[in-house]
Amino acid sequence: MYDILNQKELEILKEKEPQRFNYLAEGGAYLNLKGLKLKPIEEIKLEKIENLARIVRGLAFAAVEGIKSGHPGGSSSKVEQLLTLLFSGVLAFDPMTPKHPGRDRFVWSAGHCTPLHHAVLALIYNAIEQGGTKADKETLGFDLPVCLEKFRRCDGPSGHVESKYPLADASTGSSGHGFSCALALAMLQKTNGLDGKVFVLAGDAETEEGISYEARNTIVSMGGDNIIVSLDWNGFGIDGPITEVIPTPYLNHWFGLGWNVIEVDGHNALELATAYKKARLGFSAQGGSASGGGNGRPTAIVCHTIKGKEYGKLEGTADSHGTPASHQEYVEIMKKLGFDIPGVEGEVSEDIKVVLSSLTRDEIAYILERLEVNKKMIKPEAELLEKMKTALASRPLIDYRSIKRPKVLPPELVFKEGENTAIRKATEAFFKWLMGQSAFFYLGSDDLAKSTLTAAAENVYGLVNAKNPLGRGFRFGIAEPNMAMMSATLTQDILPGGFKAMSVFSTYGVFTSMMGNAVRMALINNAVNPAINGFFIMLAAHDGPETGEDGPTHQGLFWMALFDAYPGIKVYKPLDANEAVEMLFFALAKQEPVAFSVMRPNTPVFKRGAGAYGDYKVPEARSAVNGAYVFKPFSENGKKKVVLAVCAGQVMANILEILPDLEKEADIKIVAVTSPELFVELRRNDPERANEIFSDEDRKNVITIHNGWSGFLDPFILPADYEKRTLEIDKFLKSGPPAEVYKLAEFDPEGIKKQILKAIE
């Protein structure tokens, strides 16, 4: 027996059983190539790559000088990495068809390094042109020449990486998000029976970002062994050394998550090429060559580099990250690199010509030869399509764009009127049905599948992992940002045959704010690259105060404010289960991202048709796709006219309960609101129809009622009436059963009646 509080006994124990005091790190395979005497690789012409690196740095520095803005530090430290990737025969890529579906995908997780990105594109396409080949925008999808003198200007190359460019398959810039994008592109390959690789160019400071951890963890759990990260370990972020934030051994943050790790000198092309080839080949369980297919782990090639290499006095400093050199320093830097530039301040076009003119015939021939090798790695699209058909033999090879609403809905998508059914039951049934209609539908949850009810659809083909690579369900764990970024990016690629995936990712409405930046990045990608225009549904479950017992941490009252503001996504809030089904079919047809609200408890499935609730006709559930519809017209009882714009099914049920009392005081018209943004769109496209639903006269007499943020219904109310004519929940509530919480918020029937009567006094 040992007393572990006794230091002497601890020392005795350490001597007898030292293994109790030593933890051996467990992970993937590890290989250190730094300083190792390596055999030459025939295709790696070190002298040529060294000179091409000099040219690329000159182009990148000139681009930054032209606008006095950009990121020279990380761009300069990654030059050899990118050039070696291009020339070592590991990257399937054709610059003349840069978006060929058989290419390897490339993600700039270090999305700020556009001076390098655009400089390398300028190098490639200048060499192609000098080799006698012409290409136009229609062929490439972007303008030539790469006008580096217009860098970061509205009519020039972008300030952060955008996916419309070659060698870029995600729009990036927010630190760490690129790993999630890579996961999406890698899973799209694996889950469709394809073997394409995804290369990621990343910076070391990104490891600080929470989404980065989430993604690196999930890449391993999902079996993402087709991901290869070239990691620029230059030791600095923007503000200083990364050790100020990551004091523990840096490799632990990769190796400990189960990644293969290879260390190299990031400026040594031979070490880099050896590492890239090894990573593509894979590791056996023992760390040797993977003739048997590898150890099933992704690989991070950790490249020791100098930040701001060759960038004058800023070399090796954090300041090189985004600080342009002074004009005088710039001229000195360029001359030291061997470029006798004119050096006219504010004018770099001639400087760029000088840099490009140093490209020799032999170097052009070398570039073209290596690009041809990359091109030959791409398999024909027809062959890839056959491979997909074989892998997905039992599944319908159609995507969401071909799925239409049946004239007669399947019985599992029809909910009995007059009964109480949770709206989440409708989404559960719809997604399970949809999984059987398309081979390219994916969904997942943040450890809440049993509550958001995505499991039924996930279980059709099972969860994606190394043992089930053809699954369609994703288990993200409690990692909302990665879930959103990965799921959205999955929809922003095009598979052989032109197929596109769609995705659903789910959490509680209150937690969607944690996914805001990832959704924003995806929407930006849709905007800057309309050719890919991904369609996804963010399922915001447990909306409203219905999750009462959990208290304000789980009551979904204000979440929609963020997504209501973003362009390119609309918030849908169906009132009942049948409306949810109709709005989901509408979303499929519209193909625009949606934040879809569903309630937790059972709420009424409203009766439709004449006489359902009185002497008026309630429109069919399909009317919900207009964003608003007349649930009840005026009674024309001669009393003061009042319009109630009502959002949320439980609120509508409460109002119907008190309607007889309200009609004693006023002539009530009820407008059911399912998506203010859709209604604004209807007003723009079909003003006559919109006016029939909600006229300008109605606006003068309206009271908006939403069991959450009142701003959601702003399109229905005049600013002057805002304070008096909005019924909302504008504060955090307490824990309690939903009925009690509704009463506390004055949104129970009596509370709503009291507020309405006060508003119409």
Side-chain angles (χ1 to χ4, degrees):
M1 300 289 289
Y2 286 91
D3 178 3
I4 62 168
L5 300 178
N6 185 305
Q7 183 62 32
K8 185 174 182 180
E9 289 196 14
L10 278 178
E11 290 173 1
I12 294 171
L13 178 60
K14 188 173 184 179
E15 185 176 347
K16 288 183 176 181
E17 300 183 58
Q19 73 277 8
R20 293 185 181 275
F21 295 83
N22 292 298
Y23 176 75
L24 297 178
E26 299 177 13
Y30 173 75
L31 179 62
N32 190 343
L33 299 180
K34 279 187 66 183
L36 185 65
K37 189 173 182 180
L38 296 167
K39 287 185 178 180
I41 298 175
E42 184 179 353
E43 59 264 31
I44 298 300
K45 308 299 183 185
L46 296 177
E47 188 174 330
K48 285 186 173 64
I49 291 177
E50 184 178 335
N51 194 49
L52 291 173
R54 180 182 69 91
I55 291 171
V56 167
R57 285 193 173 90
L59 293 172
F61 296 160
V64 173
E65 169 67 14
I67 188 73
K68 284 296 182 185
S69 174
H71 297 83
S75 293
S76 185
S77 60
K78 297 175 181 66
V79 171
E80 286 82 4
Q81 294 174 61
L82 184 54
L83 289 177
T84 307
L85 262 176
L86 280 171
F87 300 150
S88 56
V90 298
L91 180 69
F93 168 69
D94 179 4
M96 300 309 288
T97 54
K99 300 302 181 183
H100 190 289
R103 73 193 183 282
D104 287 329
R105 271 51 175 182
F106 200 104
V107 175
W108 291 72
S109 197
H112 57 285
C113 292
T114 41
L116 171 60
H117 182 210
H118 299 312
V120 167
L121 293 183
L123 176 75
I124 289 172
Y125 290 102
N126 184 270
I128 289 172
E129 185 175 323
Q130 291 197 48
T133 302
K134 296 284 186 181
D136 56 23
K137 179 178 181 179
E138 186 175 349
T139 303
L140 296 179
F142 79 107
D143 288 316
L144 284 177
V146 182
C147 299
L148 295 176
E149 67 274 13
K150 295 182 179 181
F151 173 58
R152 287 192 156 219
R153 301 181 189 277
C154 288
D155 59 346
S158 59
H160 278 75
V161 170
E162 296 175 357
S163 64
K164 64 184 178 183
Y165 292 100
L167 289 175
D169 293 298
S171 298
T172 53
S174 291
S175 290
H177 286 61
F179 298 118
S180 299
C181 296
L183 171 60
L185 299 172
M187 289 301 103
L188 200 58
Q189 291 288 307
K190 291 184 77 73
T191 59
N192 288 289
L194 303 173
D195 55 8
K197 302 290 186 183
V198 180
F199 289 87
V200 184
L201 199 56
D204 49 4
E206 293 181 72
T207 312
E208 301 167 8
E209 184 70 63
I211 191 175
S212 159
Y213 168 82
E214 295 175 4
R216 287 179 285 127
N217 182 55
T218 311
I219 286 170
V220 175
S221 68
M222 290 185 184
D225 61 346
N226 54 341
I227 294 178
I228 298 170
V229 174
S230 187
L231 183 73
D232 182 27
W233 190 5
N234 59 51
F236 293 99
I238 298 176
D239 292 338
I242 66 168
T243 51
E244 292 177 347
V245 180
I246 306 178
T248 53
Y250 184 73
L251 294 187
N252 289 0
H253 294 266
W254 292 84
F255 192 70
L257 289 176
W259 285 65
N260 298 326
V261 174
I262 305 176
E263 285 194 80
V264 298
D265 176 347
H267 300 301
N268 184 314
L270 183 56
E271 290 184 15
L272 285 163
T274 302
Y276 293 143
K277 286 176 175 290
K278 179 63 181 170
R280 184 168 188 109
L281 182 63
F283 289 84
S284 70
Q286 292 76 34
S289 295
S291 57
N295 65 0
R297 306 288 186 129
T299 299
I301 299 166
V302 178
C303 308
H304 295 258
T305 65
I306 300 171
K307 186 152 189 164
K309 185 171 172 61
E310 309 289 354
Y311 202 55
K313 69 179 184 181
L314 293 177
E315 179 180 277
T317 68
D319 287 342
S320 70
H321 184 95
T323 303
S326 69
H327 177 68
Q328 182 178 348
E329 284 181 282
Y330 159 74
V331 173
E332 292 172 359
I333 289 167
M334 295 294 274
K335 290 187 181 298
K336 188 175 180 181
L337 284 171
F339 303 119
D340 190 16
I341 59 171
V344 178
E345 189 164 6
E347 174 54 60
V348 296
S349 56
E350 292 302 315
D351 299 357
I352 292 166
K353 289 179 183 178
V354 168
V355 176
L356 286 172
S357 68
S358 68
L359 196 59
T360 68
R361 285 179 175 269
D362 282 349
E363 288 163 352
I364 291 170
Y366 178 63
I367 292 171
L368 297 179
E369 170 200 316
R370 300 315 304 160
L371 291 175
E372 187 64 23
V373 170
N374 294 343
K375 177 182 176 181
K376 289 179 179 178
M377 293 178 66
I378 298 177
K379 295 175 182 176
E381 185 170 3
E383 179 183 334
L384 295 170
L385 184 56
E386 284 303 312
K387 194 169 184 179
M388 284 173 53
K389 288 179 179 179
T390 300
L392 305 173
S394 62
R395 308 182 194 185
L397 282 185
I398 63 173
D399 64 28
Y400 64 92
R401 295 171 296 178
S402 300
I403 298 172
K404 310 299 181 186
R405 181 193 185 278
K407 288 184 178 179
V408 178
L409 290 177
E412 65 268 31
L413 299 185
V414 179
F415 297 88
K416 189 172 181 180
E417 295 179 0
E419 293 189 351
N420 289 335
T421 302
I423 295 177
R424 58 181 177 152
K425 286 288 186 180
T427 54
E428 176 185 44
F430 185 89
F431 296 144
K432 184 180 179 182
W433 174 85
L434 185 59
M435 190 63 76
Q437 310 302 307
S438 170
F440 308 107
F441 173 50
Y442 300 80
L443 80 168
S445 180
D446 59 335
D447 200 37
L448 288 172
K450 294 175 183 176
S451 192
T452 61
L453 302 187
T454 57
E458 293 171 10
N459 291 337
V460 173
Y461 297 115
L463 297 174
V464 175
N465 52 50
K467 294 181 179 179
N468 185 34
L470 300 179
R472 288 296 182 267
F474 293 123
R475 187 56 45 83
F476 291 100
I478 307 171
E480 290 88 355
N482 173 57
M483 175 175 70
M485 193 76 259
M486 185 270 190
S487 299
T489 304
L490 185 86
T491 71
Q492 297 175 320
D493 196 8
I494 300 175
L495 288 162
F499 295 112
K500 293 182 67 178
M502 70 162 283
S503 71
V504 170
F505 48 99
S506 66
T507 187
Y508 292 171
V510 289
F511 301 147
T512 58
S513 60
M514 291 188 281
M515 304 190 292
N517 195 47
V519 172
R520 180 183 68 90
M521 291 299 299
L523 296 174
I524 289 170
N525 199 24
N526 278 354
V528 300
N529 189 5
I532 49 88
N533 194 41
F535 169 59
F536 54 87
I537 296 174
M538 181 184 73
L539 189 65
H542 295 37
D543 192 10
E546 274 82 355
T547 317
E549 299 91 339
D550 287 321
T553 61
H554 285 58
Q555 294 163 0
L557 304 175
F558 317 111
W559 66 269
M560 72 293 301
L562 179 60
F563 303 98
D564 194 42
Y566 283 159
I569 188 171
K570 288 184 173 63
V571 179
Y572 290 8
K573 293 194 67 169
L575 270 65
D576 69 8
N578 286 331
E579 286 190 3
V581 170
E582 297 293 354
M583 296 193 84
L584 286 167
F585 274 117
F586 180 75
L588 283 180
K590 193 172 177 60
Q591 298 170 26
E592 177 187 52
V594 172
F596 201 89
S597 157
V598 295
M599 308 297 178
R600 173 196 183 195
N602 292 328
T603 50
V605 179
F606 293 108
K607 301 173 187 177
R608 308 284 169 171
Y613 298 101
D615 58 352
Y616 56 90
K617 181 179 180 180
V618 179
E620 61 182 8
R622 294 180 75 171
S623 301
V625 304
N626 290 319
Y629 64 91
V630 180
F631 191 98
K632 175 196 174 297
F634 287 120
S635 300
E636 302 299 343
N637 59 13
K639 297 176 181 177
K640 180 179 181 179
K641 292 186 179 297
V642 174
V643 180
L644 305 180
V646 181
C647 185
Q650 185 59 55
V651 177
M652 180 67 80
N654 290 350
I655 286 175
L656 291 177
E657 185 177 328
I658 60 172
L659 184 58
D661 291 338
L662 295 177
E663 292 215 291
K664 292 176 183 177
E665 306 295 330
D667 188 358
I668 302 294
K669 174 181 177 180
I670 301 176
V671 176
V673 180
T674 57
S675 174
E677 294 163 293
L678 280 179
F679 185 71
V680 168
E681 193 170 79
L682 179 70
R683 185 176 289 281
R684 186 183 306 122
N685 297 331
D686 190 352
E688 185 176 343
R689 174 70 183 122
N691 194 61
E692 290 174 359
I693 297 169
F694 185 75
S695 67
D696 289 341
E697 189 64 28
D698 288 339
R699 193 182 304 275
K700 297 175 184 178
N701 302 306
V702 74
I703 298 173
T704 62
I705 309 172
H706 179 221
N707 58 349
W709 174 57
S710 65
F712 189 56
L713 298 184
D714 274 359
F716 292 85
I717 196 162
L718 296 171
D721 297 330
Y722 197 85
E723 289 298 324
K724 183 179 179 183
R725 293 182 174 270
T726 57
L727 275 60
E728 63 176 322
I729 300 177
D730 60 356
K731 59 186 177 183
F732 298 116
L733 302 173
K734 296 179 180 180
S735 300
E740 290 185 16
V741 175
Y742 262 87
K743 186 174 182 179
L744 176 68
E746 293 189 286
F747 257 71
D748 62 319
E750 285 302 313
I752 290 177
K753 183 173 75 172
K754 179 181 176 182
Q755 292 190 75
I756 291 174
L757 293 177
K758 182 178 179 181
I760 63 177
E761 285 178 352

